[in-house]
Amino acid sequence: MVEWASGHPGSYHYLVVLKATDEDKMSTHTEAMLNEYLASAPPAAVEQGAAYRKMHYGWTATSRAGGDEKKLSNFEARGLTKVEAGDAGFVARPEAFACANYGSVKGSWEKGDCEQVTLTLTLTLTLTLTLTLTLTLTLSLTLRDCEQVGDLTLFAYPEADHAEDKRVAYANAKYPHLEAVHMFKAIKPTDEKAGFPKQFDTSRISIPARGGAGMYIVQYFWRGYRDCIDVDVLALNTPVPPTSLSMYGIGSATEIGGGGGGGGGTVAPPVGGGGGPQTKMSKIDHCQYVQGSYTLVTEEMDGADACHPIPPPGATNSKGESRAVALDACNGRCQLAEMCEAVNVVPASPPPALAFQADEDDQNVPWDDAAGCTAAAFAAEPAGTQVCYGLQVSGLETETSEEYALIANDAEDEV
């Protein structure tokens, strides 16, 4: 199942399926390309039937992100019909979706509120009269701090609202990386509003997996907006518990980014070794949290500085660390620091290939913000050294993009 914002009636939302190894092709996608793929599909490639139709989730209760409708009957007046448990076409909303910002009362993936926690309480009561009686009571509770709105209701659109939707899956010689494309027209769910950008449509999504088991991507494409879902297609003999949280790949509360096998993340051990929670760090190329969007984490840790020197490949830093060891130390520090949410790894000095050399004030290095975070401290490091520092994100929350900047080619960008 996939959910997407349902605003802007009359526009078209695309869900594009491709292998993860073809992720570089996503930047080439245009509506013209996707429409050409759809139009060129042979009849046998078109997915039809009620199972492939979009549906709508609406509600009237107060949601933390808004989007509340005055009354559910407004949807029915527009021609939508309730789809309830037991009805043909009903699909239970995955439990893993309960923390979505829209349609929920509380909960946030970023805070790890959606993990299941089991508490066991043992009570021992001893009474001594002429005998001793010991009573042990064990109470197990499963708590989830995510709560969706109480009247979240699934609706089916009338037949006419599916007329321009199209879903195809086939091998196209011109666009061989495309596994499937699903196109849905945004519909005005009630007569009182122009659309519901804070409510959402939903649909089943098929993954043809012509390339066999492995990592795939479902790219959301709407006008100038993009998003991605990582999908692991498993071999048929791979055991997966029949629970929503297992099938939708939810990680632990201490995991940062890279879930579901995406992002090329590696797990770095804590500084100094030991057990304890592990944090998954996902490396994203051409990416940085820009000045003004973060606060430097200055908490002192043995073995790693607030600004840690990362030597170039084949060299060692002033601490005698190779590049891999230095990166592990910086990542490990972020794992243990209470407020650390991510790390930036940026050049200590503007690289020679930079077309427009940046002044020190323009460098994205928090010089002089903590002990060791000074240009003088890095003067003895080998040429090509980078600065790795942990940070707490302090930028504005956004529903349409990440807090960090992702720039593939910029003559003024050091990263």
Side-chain angles (χ1 to χ4, degrees):
M1 299 297 296
V2 174
E3 297 175 350
W4 64 93
S6 56
H8 300 273
S11 62
Y12 297 89
H13 299 260
Y14 298 82
L15 296 169
V16 186
V17 182
L18 65 158
K19 282 188 70 67
T21 51
D22 291 322
E23 64 178 349
D24 60 310
K25 307 294 194 306
M26 290 191 292
S27 62
T28 69
H29 293 169
T30 63
E31 283 198 22
M33 174 196 290
L34 301 179
N35 288 335
E36 181 181 354
Y37 177 86
L38 291 167
S40 303
V46 180
E47 298 177 342
Q48 300 181 11
Y52 297 101
R53 290 180 173 176
K54 65 177 181 279
M55 291 184 282
H56 182 77
Y57 274 109
W59 63 88
T60 64
T62 301
S63 165
R64 62 196 174 107
D68 323 327
E69 178 55 30
K70 293 180 180 179
K71 51 186 179 180
L72 292 178
S73 60
N74 288 347
F75 295 97
E76 295 173 312
R78 170 63 177 74
L80 280 71
T81 56
K82 290 183 182 179
V83 183
E84 300 179 315
D87 292 344
F90 175 80
V91 180
R93 191 180 189 221
E95 182 186 7
F97 291 6
C99 282
N101 194 32
Y102 297 140
S104 65
V105 178
K106 61 179 180 178
S108 167
W109 286 123
E110 295 180 1
K111 298 177 182 178
D113 294 336
C114 295
E115 298 304 313
Q116 289 183 320
V117 180
T118 300
L119 301 180
T120 300
L121 174 65
T122 300
L123 174 65
T124 301
L125 176 64
T126 302
L127 299 176
T128 303
L129 294 173
T130 58
L131 55 82
T132 300
L133 175 65
T134 300
L135 175 65
T136 300
L137 174 65
T138 301
L139 176 65
S140 295
L141 300 175
T142 299
L143 303 178
R144 289 180 58 79
D145 198 27
C146 291
E147 181 183 345
Q148 63 187 26
V149 292
D151 66 342
L152 188 69
T153 304
L154 181 64
F155 289 94
Y157 283 107
E159 185 71 26
D161 289 346
H162 302 290
E164 295 185 52
D165 296 347
K166 195 168 186 180
R167 308 179 59 159
V168 305
Y170 71 102
N172 183 292
K174 186 174 180 180
Y175 307 114
H177 69 284
L178 295 178
E179 290 261 336
V181 175
H182 310 271
M183 181 187 75
F184 301 98
K185 184 176 181 179
I187 302 299
K188 182 180 177 182
T190 78
D191 290 328
E192 293 192 7
K193 293 186 177 180
F196 280 94
K198 292 188 176 182
Q199 288 190 0
F200 45 91
D201 285 346
T202 184
S203 177
R204 296 178 177 92
I205 290 294
S206 62
I207 309 293
R210 289 191 298 273
M215 294 187 220
Y216 288 78
I217 296 172
V218 177
Q219 182 193 30
Y220 170 78
F221 182 106
W222 177 77
R223 293 183 175 175
Y225 294 84
R226 308 288 185 272
D227 207 342
C228 291
I229 304 168
D230 292 323
V231 178
D232 286 342
V233 175
L234 306 178
L236 293 178
N237 60 353
T238 304
V240 178
T243 66
S244 174
L245 293 178
S246 297
M247 291 185 287
Y248 283 87
I250 303 306
S252 70
T254 58
E255 182 173 302
I256 300 177
T266 58
V267 178
V271 177
Q278 298 291 296
T279 300
K280 185 171 183 178
M281 310 293 287
S282 294
K283 175 176 176 282
I284 305 176
D285 293 327
H286 306 291
C287 162
Q288 62 179 317
Y289 290 86
V290 298
Q291 295 179 15
S293 70
Y294 63 83
T295 301
L296 178 68
V297 174
T298 58
E299 184 176 347
E300 294 185 3
M301 295 280 180
D302 292 338
D305 299 323
C307 290
H308 202 76
I310 310 298
T316 58
N317 62 18
S318 58
K319 301 175 181 292
E321 299 170 331
S322 66
R323 182 175 180 83
V325 172
L327 283 169
D328 281 351
C330 184
N331 287 340
R333 177 179 179 276
C334 187
Q335 286 178 289
L336 296 181
E338 182 178 358
M339 304 304 293
C340 191
E341 297 178 296
V343 299
N344 266 350
V345 182
V346 299
S349 300
L354 191 64
F356 299 98
Q357 293 294 310
D359 295 331
E360 183 175 302
D361 291 342
D362 295 328
Q363 287 183 263
N364 194 15
V365 180
W367 295 131
D368 303 322
D369 286 357
C373 288
T374 65
F378 276 73
E381 303 296 340
T385 290
Q386 295 174 302
V387 183
C388 179
Y389 54 92
L391 56 91
Q392 179 184 13
V393 179
S394 58
L396 296 176
E397 293 185 4
T398 171
E399 293 296 329
T400 58
S401 64
E402 304 290 354
E403 289 106 339
Y404 52 76
L406 188 62
I407 302 174
N409 187 11
D410 184 347
E412 294 182 334
D413 181 41
E414 298 177 312
V415 177

